[in-house]
Amino acid sequence: MGGLDDVRRTLLALPDTEEVPGRNGHTYFRTSGTIFTWVTEDERKAMVKAMRAEQTALVAEAPEIYEPGYSSGRFGWVVVHLAKAPADELAELLNEAWRLTHRPPRQR
């Protein structure tokens, strides 16, 4: 895929997603008030929210592209080396991270 511009284009096309400048020059993306993806300052890596089983499968299948991030409960974040990630796989992973996080606004 390439870098921050490609990640930004994919994520900002999703409803209720916003880009937020973060610590250490990282760029964060959140929906429903929760961060679900961030890109490092050098734009070489992204940390993407995923289910732990998916994290394990991605790392086992392509360790040159994916590495385990931290885990929190049922989520296992995935570090993605952006220059090496196939565009379709990364787009799917980013969309899934959004789906794991997004909560539609409540109707009054």
Side-chain angles (χ1 to χ4, degrees):
M1 205 166 207
L4 177 59
D5 288 338
D6 295 319
V7 171
R8 180 182 286 129
R9 190 172 18 264
T10 299
L11 294 180
L12 294 180
L14 299 170
D16 305 318
T17 299
E18 63 181 330
E19 181 177 335
V20 182
R23 301 180 297 262
N24 302 324
H26 299 324
T27 302
Y28 293 87
F29 295 89
R30 70 180 174 199
T31 187
S32 306
T34 302
I35 293 169
F36 64 97
T37 299
W38 54 267
V39 177
T40 58
E41 181 179 22
D42 64 9
E43 300 183 20
R44 294 175 58 205
K45 296 179 186 177
M47 179 79 82
V48 181
K49 187 178 198 175
M51 298 301 292
R52 294 181 87 180
E54 184 169 20
Q55 176 200 55
T56 301
L58 287 168
V59 171
E61 182 178 305
E64 69 283 359
I65 301 171
Y66 306 104
E67 57 186 81
Y70 59 86
S71 293
S72 178
R74 67 181 185 262
F75 300 111
W77 290 68
V78 177
V79 175
V80 181
H81 295 266
L82 294 173
K84 298 177 182 178
D88 58 334
E89 283 184 21
L90 182 56
E92 184 179 330
L93 189 59
L94 293 170
N95 277 277
E96 181 61 20
W98 179 86
R99 281 192 295 273
L100 290 171
T101 309
H102 181 69
R103 301 291 174 257
R106 289 185 174 190
Q107 298 293 326
R108 290 186 178 219

